[in-house]
Amino acid sequence: MPELSVLIEHYGYIAILVGCLFEGETVTILGGISAHQGWLSLPGVIFCAGLGGALGDLTLFLLGRRYGERLLARLKRDPARIEALRASVRRHQDLAVFGVRFLYGLRLVGPLVIGASGVGLWRFVLFNLLGAATWATLFVVGGYLFGTVLARVLGDLEHHLLWLLPLAVVLALFIRWRRRRRAKGG
């Protein structure tokens, strides 16, 4: 079986692109750590993360334009929160498109709401690309810096990958679970 670092070098960019189609924060941080280790290039990771995030949001936006009201009616989300997002989109379209990926809990439903709110396609594409590039840069560089800290604490990270990667996934899932629980008032 090939070493994990070899798998990351061969499939890392694809994994980052696909992972960022959906959520992506954990994927971008792990990509930054991989860039720190020299397995992937920092600009390549930022590009794949930004592209994946932008394509995922564009897909949701287009679904929102076509099926927005029906999809939003089926979601079990807080209607008051969705209506607050709609009002924000009406008042500040550009800022809403740019910033929706930074708002926890709205990363997936946000582009649907924006699409259903009548924002123009090219306006969405422009500000979505700017937001995705900013988001990818911040999270990937954060992962790169975290890789620097890990390398100082643990030494050679490659020897620790078999427990670090599952730990990162479990930690990300735990943080997500806690945020959802807190958002529901529990």
Side-chain angles (χ1 to χ4, degrees):
M1 180 173 178
E3 300 242 351
L4 197 50
S5 61
V6 173
L7 291 173
I8 292 170
E9 288 172 1
H10 282 92
Y11 302 107
Y13 295 115
I14 293 168
I16 290 165
L17 181 79
V18 171
C20 290
L21 284 170
F22 305 103
E23 288 281 346
E25 282 81 5
T26 304
V27 174
T28 56
I29 291 169
L30 291 173
I33 292 170
S34 296
H36 174 268
Q37 289 300 110
W39 302 323
L40 302 172
S41 78
L42 186 62
V45 172
I46 291 170
F47 177 78
C48 288
L51 181 61
L55 289 175
D57 286 356
L58 178 61
T59 301
L60 292 167
F61 170 81
L62 293 172
L63 287 170
R65 282 181 70 142
R66 176 94 170 129
Y67 306 106
E69 296 306 320
R70 285 184 276 175
L71 285 173
L72 292 172
R74 289 184 177 161
L75 289 176
K76 303 282 190 226
R77 297 280 181 166
D78 180 8
R81 195 170 184 191
I82 290 174
E83 192 49 46
L85 179 59
R86 281 182 198 245
S88 179
V89 169
R90 285 191 291 273
R91 284 191 312 274
H92 310 284
Q93 285 186 3
D94 301 343
L95 185 59
V97 173
F98 178 88
V100 74
R101 75 186 60 256
F102 296 99
L103 302 174
Y104 182 78
L106 295 177
R107 174 77 200 290
L108 297 176
V109 74
L112 287 171
V113 172
I114 293 169
S117 298
V119 172
L121 175 63
W122 295 113
R123 169 173 263 159
F124 180 84
V125 168
L126 172 65
F127 286 98
N128 181 43
L129 286 173
L130 291 171
T134 303
W135 169 82
T137 302
L138 290 173
F139 278 91
V140 171
V141 169
Y144 188 92
L145 295 174
F146 185 60
T148 303
V149 171
L150 281 177
R152 285 190 181 158
V153 172
L154 299 174
D156 183 17
L157 291 183
E158 189 165 6
H159 294 358
H160 301 286
L161 276 180
L162 287 177
W163 68 268
L164 276 176
L165 289 177
L167 177 65
V169 170
V170 167
L171 182 62
L173 291 172
F174 175 75
I175 290 169
R176 181 181 211 164
W177 172 78
R178 288 281 299 160
R179 285 181 176 171
R180 284 187 180 183
R181 188 170 164 222
R182 200 174 309 139
K184 289 180 182 179

